[in-house]
Amino acid sequence: IHKCHRVKPTGGGMALSFCGNDDHFNSYNVTNGVLNNGCFVDALNLVPHVFLLFITFPILFIGWGSQSSKVQIHHNTWLHFPGHNLRWILTFSLLFVHVCEFAEGIVSNKMMQTNHLHLFMPAFMGFIAATTSVVYYHNIETSNFPKLLLVLFIYWVLAFVTKSIKLWKFAAYSVGPQHLRFCITALLVMLYGLLMAVEINVIRVRKYVFFANPQKVKPPEDLQDLGVRFLQPFVNLLSKATYWWMNPLIMGAHKRPIELKKIGKLPIAMRALTNYLRLKDAYEDQRTAEDPDRSPSIWRSMYRAFGRPILLSSTFRYLADLLGFAGPLCISGIVKYLDPQNSRYFGVYFMSSTELLQNTSVLAVLLFLALVLQRTFLQASYYVTIETGINLRGALLAMIYNKMLRLSTSNMSMGEMTLGQINNLVAIETNQLMWFLFLCPNLWAMPVQIVMGVILLYYLLGPSALVGASVIVLLAPVQYLIATKLADTQKSSLEHSTDRLKKTSEILKGIKLLKLYAWENIFCDSVEETRGKELTSLKTFAFFTSMSIFMNAAIPIAAVLATFVMHHFLNEKGPTPSEAFAALALFHILVTPLFLLSTVVRFAVKALVSNGFFTWGSNLSTLSNINIRIPSGQLTMIVGQVGCGKSSLLLAMLGEMQTIEGRVYWSNSCCRVSSCCIVLKLCQWIQQQGMCCVSHVCCNVCFCRHEARFKQRMLELTDTNNTAYLFLSAANRWLEVRTDYLGAVIVLTAAGASIWSLEYGLPSGGLVGLGLTYALTVTNYLNWVVRNLADLEVQMAAVKKVNSFLTTESENYEGSMDTSQVPENWPQNGEIKIQDLCVRYDPMLKPVLKHVNAYIEPGQKVGICGRTGSGKSSLSLAFFNMVDIFEGKIVIDGIDICKLPLQTLRSRLSIILQDPVLFSGSIRFNLDPERTCTDDRLWEALEIAQLKNMVKALPGGLDAVVTEGGENFSVGQRQLFCLARAFVRKSSILIMDEATASIDMATENILQKVVMTAFADRTVVTIAHRVHTILTADLVIVMKRGNILEYDKPETLLEQEDGMFASFVKADM
């Protein structure tokens, strides 16, 4: 062994030769045999690489380079040979070892008198050959032509043999693990051997050579469907890691917005139905014959169905977190800048294994590679958890849809399960579980990260590091408190947001009624009050968010200060630059898991709560002691008063109510869809005859008929949503991987520049450490800058939409008359003059009323009838100026209604609409939201509407609860409440727009008499769908296509046997 320092050559430059030209050593001496000459052995190692390049380049550039071949290589031909992922991992490892071999050769060459190309050229050629091998393999795999893999098998064998010879000769000359070149060669022998084994396995499975019957394999079913565009599961490992397959979509999105059809369909394994079946099987497998009543655990089901990818993601996260510590350690090593020692074998310099971590250039490259690998593993962990979370969400949504179809109608109508709760399940609870899965790897990765960080800090700074760690631990409760406050305020703001959205939704559903009754301000005030509470919560949330961000930035500084002060106190000197900046970087790493711990715990609690929402059902008795037999093949009628149980009986027969006791038997084995069809026809016949209201039943039956249709549609929509979600996740990973790699390049550049300038004495070690410490944070800043710019662009689209909405023309609420000019008791008489009235719904549309003229005397009872589309309802809306009156006018008690402020006009008239609208709240609120009436007046209105006894029986009476949409009352009862609402106002003009369509004939006849009595001295205009209800009217108007066809007393019109009114009456008898 010869110890020496580098000897600089004399003369004009270093000689260039493969084996070198050093003094006192003949590199070409083969006296002891060619295999004992190190240069010859290195030359021998070039042979496999040259062989591979010579064979594969013509195939790559001539075969796959042709246009015809490019057309054939479509994703429907892609295939993964056995050992696909292992091959890619081994090839990446091979490339990394070749880089190390090349770097070691370059450093060793610098220690020689002349250039020795054999020290680094084989490594360079090996790198080129390894790169070529993976490109070659990728093309063979995507075209499914395995016979050409024989070339790679020969290459691995040759490379394994030549490297084994080199390793054997190293051992013979006592070159061992203490020397870096020995370790590198041993690794290469191992990798070439493993790749050779992978190739043998492909031959064994596919039998493409040496076997009589080669195995033919088709690509996956998903890839046969060219509509599947989400290719992440099918691409090679490099494309998976870098999301290279997303490039065409990203480039296309840069030119024009992405359309939904462009993203295509999901692979079968990622669809909601597939994941639902997987989760369901895992759920049902927990039921055993020994314990059939045992309640399965949804958590265990989730683990069995989706545990494997979570474990994979956790592994990626562990690797990323461990590689994250390479940054501080490399900074420490670079700043130390230790000088190496030299040793020679075979007449050339050999670097010791420990020197690798003492060379600043090597450390800079290792820092770069560690950053690239760390960010790659981190993004892979993110992607796998997000994909798994989306798959879980799809499975849970399918489970909820399936449960919705099996929910009894009583669950909904009695308010036990509201639409809001189901929306909450679909939109929030499933997302909570999804987000919990996103954060799952942090649960077990964070403790390891914290322990490793503390150990390294102790290694760098000794006991003083524990002081800094204690500061972080002591301030962690403050962070947790802030996080808890954040959670509470977020919960509060979500509750207010849900309440606001609920109120807004109700306003939109009942907007027609609100406008007709001039109640917009009342409901708007309610929404604004809730919005005010929401804004207060959001401001509090913003405050605690700012506190959290401040603490996240301040804690590392406090920890570092405490540590350095204690270090100075214990050692009577400050830490070295290498120790200081490595410690600073480590403290930054430690703060993140401690900060995230509270977030993860919070989401875990939310996930536990979310799982509590998957048990629905109750025992509500609506029907009792029902014993009937409905004969087969005959029509059976069910009649009774409003709310007596007609609809409930039909729903019970169809299985839409919970059966507490007794059973329903269907003759033969008729399926449910058939029964639905029967009941649908029954509903239509009953509604035509006016026997009873079963529209609610009909709607439910139609809903159940969609049984497969609804579920299939929901699954399709879920898959569409998940496809967009997955593409968004892949696009985010595509962006972050590239910004991460760019950040790594910046760090490498900073390290290289620091090392180069340090040789000229420009910066001090402290400045180098400072620069590298902050260069490590560039990656995060790059990500956030690009993401925030993109988010800003997306959010500005919302601003554009709001601005577009604000510029939409609204109603003219002011009018040309001042409110003070309108008498307080207007309209007192109820006289209506319609003069040459022309009405349209939009200036671009044709008129729906054309030159209508009519006169309605004060107190007159008027019936308006006509076929669908004749203009009846349009005329009723014209009284409230709800449509565009572009010609003519309506004069009520001497005032043109178009001149009145809308609030004044609509608050002085009353209307009962065909669709009964109730709002969540109390009965009192639904009758008198303005709170201007006494209880006596409300009870009087309820009595007129035949509801007094029913309301008195309810808990709370007038303050009894009305659920969302009034679902806890029958449709007929809801219509009666709407009638009572009109009676409460006691206007001199009442418009009834087919208001009795949803109540039985007996109740309708009573109400008609009540209306005639209660409004005897008032003007009543009735839009009739059954003409017998207006036979007692003072005046009948028959309309057709926007014109008045007949206009007279009903008895006069009946005398005209060929008239339209007479024909209506005959048809209605």
Side-chain angles (χ1 to χ4, degrees):
I1 301 175
H2 303 282
K3 296 284 185 180
C4 67
H5 290 285
R6 176 176 173 179
V7 180
K8 292 186 179 180
T10 58
M14 298 182 75
L16 185 65
S17 66
F18 186 77
C19 292
N21 248 349
D22 290 6
D23 297 336
H24 312 298
F25 188 82
N26 185 2
S27 300
Y28 299 96
N29 184 5
V30 291
T31 306
N32 297 325
V34 292
L35 292 181
N36 290 316
N37 183 290
C39 184
F40 177 82
V41 174
D42 286 335
L44 187 65
N45 275 266
L46 277 173
V47 173
H49 310 322
V50 174
F51 162 79
L52 182 69
L53 296 175
F54 181 78
I55 296 294
T56 57
F57 264 62
I59 298 174
L60 286 173
F61 288 100
I62 297 174
W64 280 283
S66 67
Q67 184 64 28
S68 59
S69 297
K70 282 183 180 178
V71 172
Q72 293 173 2
I73 300 178
H74 197 276
H75 74 247
N76 63 344
T77 64
W78 291 358
L79 198 68
H80 285 182
F81 292 148
H84 169 91
N85 287 337
L86 179 60
R87 181 193 296 267
W88 277 89
I89 292 170
L90 291 174
T91 306
F92 283 139
S93 303
L94 183 64
L95 289 169
F96 173 72
V97 176
H98 275 310
V99 169
C100 295
E101 184 184 25
F102 180 75
E104 192 273 347
I106 290 290
V107 174
S108 298
N109 184 63
K110 286 183 178 180
M111 298 297 174
M112 306 303 295
Q113 286 182 326
T114 59
N115 278 323
H116 286 246
L117 297 183
H118 70 98
L119 291 177
F120 56 86
M121 182 175 281
F124 176 74
M125 293 299 292
F127 184 87
I128 298 298
T131 305
T132 304
S133 73
V134 79
V135 173
Y136 179 76
Y137 168 77
H138 171 69
N139 282 276
I140 291 172
E141 195 176 48
T142 52
S143 60
N144 195 11
F145 202 70
K147 288 186 177 180
L148 291 176
L149 284 178
L150 194 59
V151 175
L152 288 182
F153 175 67
I154 297 171
Y155 170 65
W156 302 133
V157 171
L158 290 175
F160 176 76
V161 171
T162 55
K163 282 296 176 189
S164 297
I165 292 172
K166 186 173 182 178
L167 188 66
W168 167 49
K169 284 301 168 183
F170 280 169
Y173 278 81
S174 301
V175 177
Q178 71 273 21
H179 296 101
L180 182 59
R181 198 173 304 167
F182 178 90
C183 297
I184 290 174
T185 306
L187 282 173
L188 288 172
V189 170
M190 188 187 304
L191 290 170
Y192 284 133
L194 289 171
L195 284 164
M196 187 169 60
V198 169
E199 216 64 76
I200 291 171
N201 185 55
V202 176
I203 295 173
R204 182 186 67 83
V205 176
R206 293 296 306 273
K207 302 177 182 178
Y208 64 86
V209 288
F210 313 128
F211 291 93
N213 299 313
Q215 184 188 21
K216 293 184 178 179
V217 181
K218 290 184 177 180
E221 182 182 347
D222 289 309
L223 294 183
Q224 300 299 313
D225 184 355
L226 298 183
V228 174
R229 310 260 172 84
F230 190 80
L231 303 177
Q232 179 75 2
F234 311 107
V235 295
N236 61 57
L237 202 62
L238 179 62
S239 187
K240 279 183 179 178
T242 61
Y243 308 91
W244 191 263
W245 63 272
M246 283 283 293
N247 284 356
L249 186 75
I250 299 292
M251 300 304 174
H254 179 68
K255 296 175 182 176
R256 64 182 66 87
I258 299 174
E259 297 177 2
L260 199 60
K261 62 182 180 182
K262 291 286 184 182
I263 63 176
K265 297 184 288 187
L266 277 179
I268 294 172
M270 302 174 79
R271 292 175 188 169
L273 180 60
T274 307
N275 288 298
Y276 163 67
L277 294 174
R278 185 186 304 168
L279 183 63
K280 183 184 175 185
D281 291 342
Y283 190 82
E284 295 297 334
D285 286 345
Q286 296 180 57
R287 301 185 191 274
T288 58
E290 295 79 15
D291 190 9
D293 297 328
R294 178 188 174 190
S295 179
S297 166
I298 188 71
W299 285 107
R300 190 172 298 170
S301 306
M302 287 164 54
Y303 174 75
R304 288 185 178 182
F306 305 104
R308 185 175 295 178
I310 290 298
L311 291 176
L312 176 63
S313 172
S314 301
T315 303
F316 287 150
R317 183 57 190 267
Y318 275 130
L319 292 171
D321 288 344
L322 292 175
L323 284 167
F325 292 111
L329 293 176
C330 288
I331 289 174
S332 176
I334 290 172
V335 176
K336 282 183 180 178
Y337 193 62
L338 298 176
D339 290 325
Q341 291 185 336
N342 306 326
S343 59
R344 283 175 175 262
Y345 297 89
F346 298 100
V348 293
Y349 170 75
F350 272 66
M351 179 186 286
S352 69
S353 298
T354 55
E355 286 180 61
L356 177 71
L357 301 178
Q358 298 172 355
N359 186 289
T360 54
S361 299
V362 171
L363 284 173
V365 174
L366 285 177
L367 176 59
F368 169 75
L369 293 175
L371 281 174
V372 168
L373 285 174
Q374 190 248 346
R375 304 308 292 191
T376 302
F377 282 131
L378 187 63
Q379 297 302 334
S381 174
Y382 288 158
Y383 173 78
V384 173
T385 48
I386 290 172
E387 180 190 295
T388 309
I390 292 171
N391 288 340
L392 171 65
R393 177 172 168 268
L396 292 175
L397 286 173
M399 184 180 284
I400 291 171
Y401 298 145
N402 194 52
K403 182 71 175 181
M404 282 167 60
L405 290 175
R406 293 188 286 116
L407 271 180
S408 62
T409 306
S410 62
N411 289 117
M412 303 294 292
S413 62
M414 298 309 294
E416 180 185 346
M417 178 57 60
T418 66
L419 188 61
Q421 286 176 303
I422 293 177
N423 284 336
N424 187 61
L425 272 174
V426 171
I428 297 176
E429 305 301 336
T430 53
N431 280 345
Q432 296 289 4
L433 288 167
M434 179 177 71
W435 277 102
F436 172 70
L437 272 195
F438 291 175
L439 295 171
C440 236
N442 289 294
L443 275 175
W444 32 85
M446 285 187 302
V448 174
Q449 206 173 9
I450 293 169
V451 171
M452 282 293 297
V454 172
I455 290 172
L456 288 175
L457 279 170
Y458 187 84
Y459 168 76
L460 282 171
L461 300 174
S464 59
L466 299 178
V467 176
S470 301
V471 170
I472 294 178
V473 172
L474 289 173
L475 289 176
V478 179
Q479 278 188 304
Y480 182 78
L481 179 64
I482 294 172
T484 304
K485 292 293 184 182
L486 272 173
D488 291 341
T489 52
Q490 186 181 33
K491 182 181 178 183
S492 174
S493 63
L494 280 174
E495 287 174 354
H496 292 313
S497 176
T498 303
D499 190 25
R500 175 177 58 81
L501 289 173
K502 177 186 173 185
K503 290 180 177 179
T504 305
S505 177
E506 284 195 318
I507 286 176
L508 293 175
K509 286 179 182 176
I511 190 66
K512 185 177 178 181
L513 177 76
L514 296 183
K515 282 183 167 293
L516 290 170
Y517 271 76
W519 287 344
E520 305 101 305
N521 292 338
I522 298 170
F523 282 78
C524 281
D525 290 343
S526 175
V527 171
E528 287 177 1
E529 180 186 355
T530 307
R531 177 60 176 165
K533 294 177 182 177
E534 183 184 5
L535 285 174
T536 303
S537 295
L538 289 173
K539 288 175 183 175
T540 309
F541 183 80
F543 170 74
F544 284 115
T545 301
S546 302
M547 287 290 296
S548 177
I549 294 170
F550 169 76
M551 291 296 293
N552 210 29
I555 286 177
I557 298 172
V560 168
L561 284 174
T563 300
F564 289 172
V565 169
M566 183 57 67
H567 188 277
H568 191 278
F569 178 77
L570 293 176
N571 300 293
E572 296 183 352
K573 64 176 182 178
T576 63
S578 62
E579 293 171 340
F581 290 107
L584 182 61
L586 284 169
F587 277 121
H588 273 289
I589 291 174
L590 271 180
V591 168
T592 304
L594 288 170
F595 173 72
L596 283 176
L597 184 63
S598 58
T599 305
V600 175
V601 170
R602 191 166 72 248
F603 269 100
V605 172
K606 286 184 178 180
L608 286 168
V609 173
S610 298
N611 270 309
F613 279 91
F614 287 89
T615 55
W616 296 334
S618 171
N619 296 322
L620 301 168
S621 180
T622 304
L623 300 173
S624 58
N625 300 322
I626 302 294
N627 291 284
I628 57 170
R629 178 180 177 275
I630 298 177
S632 177
Q634 298 181 25
L635 178 63
T636 301
M637 306 303 300
I638 304 171
V639 297
Q641 293 183 343
V642 172
C644 67
K646 305 182 296 298
S647 301
S648 299
L649 179 58
L650 288 175
L651 289 172
M653 291 164 59
L654 292 171
E656 283 296 310
M657 293 190 71
Q658 296 176 0
T659 303
I660 299 174
E661 188 179 340
R663 295 192 65 183
V664 176
Y665 297 94
W666 287 84
S667 62
N668 304 322
S669 57
C670 67
C671 68
R672 180 155 177 179
V673 173
S674 299
S675 67
C676 290
C677 295
I678 294 169
V679 179
L680 271 174
K681 292 179 180 178
L682 177 64
C683 293
Q684 293 167 359
W685 190 88
I686 289 175
Q687 282 193 302
Q688 288 171 2
Q689 298 303 315
M691 296 299 294
C692 70
C693 165
V694 285
S695 61
H696 188 59
V697 181
C698 293
C699 291
N700 277 281
V701 172
C702 291
F703 179 81
C704 297
R705 236 170 107 186
H706 292 348
E707 215 157 281
R709 287 181 189 174
F710 170 80
K711 186 176 177 181
Q712 183 64 28
R713 182 59 179 154
M714 289 297 101
L715 290 175
E716 288 174 1
L717 291 173
T718 301
D719 284 338
T720 302
N721 179 257
N722 286 352
T723 306
Y725 218 138
L726 284 164
F727 268 106
L728 176 63
S729 172
N732 282 331
R733 305 286 78 76
W734 181 94
L735 170 65
E736 293 193 6
V737 160
R738 279 148 185 78
T739 52
D740 287 343
Y741 292 171
L742 179 59
V745 171
I746 292 172
V747 172
L748 178 63
T749 305
S754 300
I755 294 166
W756 174 79
S757 58
L758 199 64
E759 292 182 1
Y760 295 92
L762 294 180
S764 65
L767 290 176
V768 171
L770 181 67
L772 291 178
T773 300
Y774 283 99
L776 284 175
T777 64
V778 166
T779 300
N780 292 329
Y781 288 126
L782 280 174
N783 278 332
W784 280 109
V785 165
V786 177
R787 289 280 292 274
N788 285 340
L789 284 174
D791 286 343
L792 178 64
E793 185 177 353
V794 172
Q795 301 302 333
M796 288 308 293
V799 175
K800 182 180 178 182
K801 290 178 182 177
V802 171
N803 186 57
S804 174
F805 177 75
L806 291 175
T807 55
T808 304
E809 186 179 357
S810 58
E811 289 184 301
N812 179 17
Y813 272 76
E814 300 302 322
S816 58
M817 287 183 66
D818 191 77
T819 309
S820 60
Q821 297 178 274
V822 184
E824 287 187 10
N825 58 353
W826 181 92
Q828 186 175 11
N829 302 317
E831 179 191 49
I832 302 174
K833 295 178 182 177
I834 304 174
Q835 300 173 358
D836 203 30
L837 183 68
C838 294
V839 163
R840 61 192 175 193
Y841 284 95
D842 188 87
M844 304 298 293
L845 299 176
K846 293 180 179 179
V848 290
L849 294 179
K850 308 163 191 174
H851 305 289
V852 173
N853 290 278
Y855 176 68
I856 300 174
E857 297 177 2
Q860 202 169 28
K861 309 298 179 288
V862 180
I864 302 176
C865 62
R867 299 188 187 280
T868 302
S870 61
K872 308 184 299 295
S873 296
S874 299
L875 181 58
S876 69
L877 293 177
F879 291 133
F880 293 83
N881 203 2
M882 286 279 287
V883 286
D884 179 18
I885 301 177
F886 66 95
E887 194 174 331
K889 57 184 177 180
I890 299 177
V891 179
I892 297 178
D893 280 3
I895 297 178
D896 184 351
I897 64 168
C898 290
K899 296 180 180 179
L900 289 170
L902 290 181
Q903 191 79 10
T904 303
L905 169 65
R906 294 169 184 173
S907 64
R908 305 291 180 89
L909 306 180
S910 292
I911 186 169
I912 305 171
L913 296 173
Q914 179 178 0
D915 299 319
V917 178
L918 293 183
F919 302 98
S920 58
S922 64
I923 292 176
R924 183 192 302 277
F925 174 77
N926 275 277
L927 295 179
D928 180 32
E930 297 169 298
R931 300 182 181 274
T932 58
C933 299
T934 62
D935 285 6
D936 291 339
R937 187 168 172 182
L938 297 180
W939 283 117
E940 180 188 359
L942 289 172
E943 186 173 16
I944 293 172
Q946 315 291 303
L947 289 171
K948 184 176 181 179
N949 293 334
M950 187 271 289
V951 172
K952 273 193 170 181
L954 293 175
L958 288 172
D959 295 314
V961 174
V962 178
T963 59
E964 187 178 354
E967 287 290 332
N968 54 332
F969 298 104
S970 70
V971 182
Q973 287 171 329
R974 277 179 256 166
Q975 190 63 277
L976 294 176
F977 274 117
C978 294
L979 286 167
R981 180 189 289 152
F983 297 148
V984 168
R985 179 165 278 193
K986 287 190 174 179
S987 171
S988 62
I989 297 177
L990 172 66
I991 313 294
M992 298 178 66
D993 188 359
E994 300 187 325
T996 57
S998 300
I999 54 179
D1000 58 82
M1001 287 183 67
T1003 306
E1004 182 185 28
N1005 289 332
I1006 294 171
L1007 282 175
Q1008 289 292 342
K1009 293 177 182 177
V1010 168
V1011 168
M1012 295 304 175
T1013 304
F1015 289 81
D1017 58 338
R1018 303 173 190 227
T1019 304
V1020 179
V1021 178
T1022 303
I1023 310 295
H1025 74 291
R1026 295 194 292 258
V1027 292
H1028 73 271
T1029 60
I1030 57 172
L1031 289 176
T1032 58
D1034 300 320
L1035 175 67
V1036 169
I1037 299 174
V1038 182
M1039 301 192 70
K1040 182 178 181 180
R1041 295 177 184 173
N1043 295 296
I1044 293 180
L1045 189 66
E1046 297 177 3
Y1047 178 94
D1048 214 326
K1049 294 180 180 180
E1051 51 268 23
T1052 304
L1053 294 177
L1054 284 173
E1055 292 174 359
Q1056 304 172 11
E1057 295 185 1
D1058 58 343
M1060 183 172 285
F1061 182 72
S1063 65
F1064 285 163
V1065 173
K1066 289 177 184 176
D1068 199 34
M1069 293 297 288

